[in-house]
């Protein structure tokens, strides 16, 4: 049996109850076969694959907090510190009722390769809780965040592990968590990214994931002699990533016509009004029905099982920006039938494995989240740099670096795919390019 198959079998046996983690590992190890085959003896002797698929540590803890009725609530907190071969653990905190160890491990595992691709010195980690921020008062959010950080603060630090935002964790939550960390540790340090601009945050971090997704998509299309201007896009999600993906797509002359949330989606053939979307989602924290109510050209559709949602429309570009496994094989068939040119992932693992394969086999340009959404964490690393030198850079400087990083990522994943004889397979290219740097560091640092 090949080394990859042997390790895949072991990982499946050890983590049988973690489907999302197994999905992420299967994708990565499968696509690394050309590299592993070329170095099998060295990697096997050093147990590289066994080590890279087992987190350095996984921390789970109780998060008790008091709701507005005086009732004590208990959630489960997680931080998985996966691999710090090339830098301190780095990755977001997800607050969503679906959070469990499988989800956090898949995200932490992917973060190793994504962070390596950014070209910056950051390792992989992820955390979060099954806490549901929806419908909670600001005071309840603060009570949860303070309790969560009271425990998490024991394990993180500016040179140890630097969490950030993800689903359900934005500027408000980062603020409450930073305040609690400072209070417990007595140090003002860059322990979290995505901070407010008056207390160590970086300009352009809010926009970075969505903008970065479009910088990469543009580089991909240019390389295939396609002009992004005039192209229509289907975007899913209406959170941080989706909003700024829509904004940058419009700046580049493209026309996003959809967005969604967990209860429904919008089809707006005139193009999404991004300022209205920001007002509904960032300011009012309301449902998309409010967008439709304020915009005559928009149709609102309630989400129903088995429907294609935003993937049913005839568009040139698909940009999944909501959550994992939101674009399945049937959606992929629909997109292909409608002539989609590219799928570039703003979310983490939004496309199922069989859908990815179908898109690639049908000539769709496909770039996975590890490369395509790396602009967020890359800009978090730029925030860490600014915190270390106690300076802040201008928006133009950060945005310029972000654009440069995304173009470099595209060039590197394209080159890695070519080097290993799988030209145009950007999933393999991203996994290989991300892996090469981490493995080099792991081998140099000995058995640890
Ligand atoms: P937000 O919380 O800001 O927005 C998430 C959006 O996705 C909301 O519109 C939400 O709808 C929708 N959504 C979440 N869960 C589900 C679900 N189970 N079913 C349907 N819709 C859902 O998160 P972000 O925009 O930050 O994150 C979106 C994706 O991008 C995630 O996969 C995240 O891991 C990834 N990502 C984020 C980065 C960042 O910098 N923020 C960086 C790189 C990747 P509703 O409001 O109704 O829940
Ligand atoms: O998935 C991700 O890369 C993020 N949620 C951002 C992580 C970060 O540390 O900025």
């Amino acid at each position: 049996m090949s080394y990859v198959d042997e390790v895949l079998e072991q990982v499946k046996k050890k983590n049988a109850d973690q489907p999302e983690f197994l999905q992420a590992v299967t994708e990565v190890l499968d696509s690394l076969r050309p590299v592993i085959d070329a170095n099998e003896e060295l990697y096997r002797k050093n147990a590289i694959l066994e080590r890279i698929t087992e987190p350095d540590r996984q921390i789970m803890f109780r998060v008790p907090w008091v709701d507005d009725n005086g009732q004590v609530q208990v959630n489960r907190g997680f931080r998985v510190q996966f691999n710090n071969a090339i830098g301190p653990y780095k990755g977001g905190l997800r607050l969503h009722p679906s959070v469990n160890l499988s989800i956090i491990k898949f995200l932490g595992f992917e973060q190793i390769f994504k962070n390596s691709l950014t070209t910056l010195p950051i390792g992989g980690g992820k955390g979060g809780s099954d806490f549901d921020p929806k419908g909670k008062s600001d005071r309840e959010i603060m009570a949860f965040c303070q309790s969560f950080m009271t425990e998490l603060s024991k394990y993180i630090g500016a040179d140890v592990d630097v969490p950030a935002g993800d689903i359900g964790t934005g500027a408000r939550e980062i603020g409450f968590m930073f305040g609690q960390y400072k209070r417990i540790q007595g140090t003002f340090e860059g322990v979290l990214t995505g901070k407010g601009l008056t207390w160590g945050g970086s300009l352009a971090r809010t926009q970075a994931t969505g903008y970065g997704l479009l910088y990469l998509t543009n580089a991909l299309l240019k390389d295939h002699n396609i002009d992004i201007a005039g192209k229509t896009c289907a975007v899913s999600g209406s959170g941080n990533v989706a909003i700024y993906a829509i904004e940058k797509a419009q700046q580049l002359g493209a026309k996003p016509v959809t967005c969604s949330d967990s209860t429904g989606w919008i089809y707006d053939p005139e193009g999404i009004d991004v300022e209205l979307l920001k007002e509904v989602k960032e300011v009012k924290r309301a449902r998309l029905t409010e967008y439709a109510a304020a915009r005559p050209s928009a149709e609102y559709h309630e989400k129903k099982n088995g429907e294609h949602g935003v993937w049913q429309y005839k568009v040139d570009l698909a940009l999944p920006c909501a959550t994992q496994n939101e674009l399945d094989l049937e959606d992929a068939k629909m997109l292909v039938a409608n002539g989609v040119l590219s799928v570039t992932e703003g979310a983490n693992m939004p496309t199922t494995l069989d859908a990815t394969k179908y898109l690639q086999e049908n000539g769709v340009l496909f770039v996975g989240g590890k490369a395509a959404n790396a602009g967020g964490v890359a800009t978090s690393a730029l925030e860490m740099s600014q915190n270390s030198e106690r300076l802040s850079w201008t928006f133009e400087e950060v945005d310029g670096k972000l654009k440069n990083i995304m173009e470099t990522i595209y060039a590197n994943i394209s080159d890695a795919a070519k080097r290993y004889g799988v030209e145009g397979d950007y999933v393999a290219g991203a996994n290989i390019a991300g892996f090469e740097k981490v493995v080099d560091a792991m081998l140099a640092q000995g058995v640890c």
Side-chain angles (χ1 to χ4, degrees), residues 118 205 208-209 212-213 371-380 402 405-406 409:
T118 65
R205 175 62 188 90
T209 311
L213 172 64
N373 71 37
V377 75
T379 307
S380 278
L402 168 64
I405 287 168
M406 298 314 293
I409 291 176

Side-chain angles (χ1 to χ4, degrees), residues 54-324:
E54 188 69 25
D56 288 356
R57 65 196 61 79
Q58 46 196 46
I59 301 147
M60 286 170 65
F61 50 92
R62 181 176 65 242
V63 188
W65 56 279
V66 182
D67 72 16
D68 285 347
N69 298 321
Q71 173 67 46
V72 177
Q73 302 285 346
V74 178
N75 287 99
R76 183 171 283 182
F78 301 85
R79 187 70 184 168
V80 172
Q81 298 178 332
F82 227 112
N83 184 298
N84 65 354
I86 64 168
Y89 306 107
K90 182 86 195 85
L93 296 171
R94 178 174 293 191
L95 302 182
H96 193 272
S98 63
V99 164
N100 57 35
L101 190 57
S102 174
I103 302 261
I104 300 298
K105 279 179 68 183
F106 114 65
L107 291 162
F109 180 70
E110 292 215 318
Q111 204 84 42
I112 305 170
F113 304 92
K114 182 197 301 192
N115 292 3
S116 168
L117 283 174
T118 65
T119 72
L120 301 168
I122 39 180
K126 198 84 185 191
S129 172
D130 59 2
F131 173 75
D132 185 358
K134 277 204 192 82
K136 303 288 189 298
S137 69
D138 280 355
R139 196 211 60 80
E140 288 176 323
I141 297 282
M142 183 170 75
F144 169 83
C145 289
Q146 290 182 339
S147 180
F148 182 78
M149 184 50 85
T150 300
E151 187 62 24
L152 186 67
S153 65
K154 299 171 186 166
Y155 309 103
I156 62 176
D159 293 314
V160 179
D161 181 356
V162 183
D166 193 79
I167 291 177
T169 306
R172 175 181 59 172
E173 292 72 21
I174 292 292
F176 292 146
M177 290 183 197
F178 186 77
Q180 186 72 352
Y181 180 86
K182 194 162 56 78
R183 196 171 162 207
I184 291 171
Q185 300 292 350
T187 52
F188 192 113
E189 58 174 44
V191 66
L192 294 166
T193 58
K195 298 186 293 299
L197 296 177
T198 54
W199 41 281
S202 174
L203 284 159
R205 175 62 188 90
T206 304
Q207 294 84 352
T209 311
Y211 278 23
L213 172 64
L214 267 295
Y215 291 143
L216 182 132
T217 305
N218 198 22
L220 166 78
L221 295 177
K222 261 195 193 155
D223 194 30
H224 291 267
N225 298 313
I226 302 168
D227 189 353
I228 196 168
K231 298 288 179 290
T232 50
C233 325
V235 177
S236 64
S238 52
N240 174 261
V241 179
I243 287 173
Y244 293 95
I246 291 169
E247 183 167 280
K248 183 53 74 177
Q250 289 174 344
Q251 288 172 10
L252 294 173
K255 186 171 154 188
V257 291
T258 69
C259 62
S260 65
D261 63 18
S262 51
T263 50
W265 76 89
I266 293 288
Y267 175 60
D268 191 342
E270 305 259 289
I272 298 291
D273 178 342
V274 76
E275 291 311 317
L276 174 61
L277 186 62
K278 283 185 195 174
E279 176 68 20
V280 171
K281 286 292 172 184
E282 293 184 336
V283 181
K284 293 187 180 160
R285 298 181 187 272
R287 312 311 305 165
L288 283 174
T289 42
E290 291 217 13
Y291 176 95
R295 177 107 169 140
S297 58
E299 297 167 12
Y300 175 78
H301 299 268
E302 200 76 36
K303 184 172 159 180
K304 290 189 202 91
N305 276 345
E307 279 186 339
H308 295 293
V310 301
W311 313 125
Q312 69 187 277
Y313 301 102
K314 186 168 170 48
V315 291
D316 303 306
L317 319 176
L319 300 161
C321 295
T323 193
Q324 64 275 353

Side-chain angles (χ1 to χ4, degrees), residues 216-226 316-318 336 340-345 356 358-368 410 423-427:
L216 182 132
T217 305
N218 198 22
L220 166 78
L221 295 177
K222 261 195 193 155
D223 194 30
H224 291 267
N225 298 313
I226 302 168
D316 303 306
L317 319 176
V336 168
V340 78
L341 299 171
S342 70
V343 176
T344 44
E345 296 184 331
T356 302
Y358 185 85
L359 292 167
Q360 289 178 317
E361 285 172 357
N362 284 278
V364 176
L365 302 171
F366 183 91
V367 182
Y410 176 69
E423 186 169 353
D425 182 346
Y426 302 111
V427 173

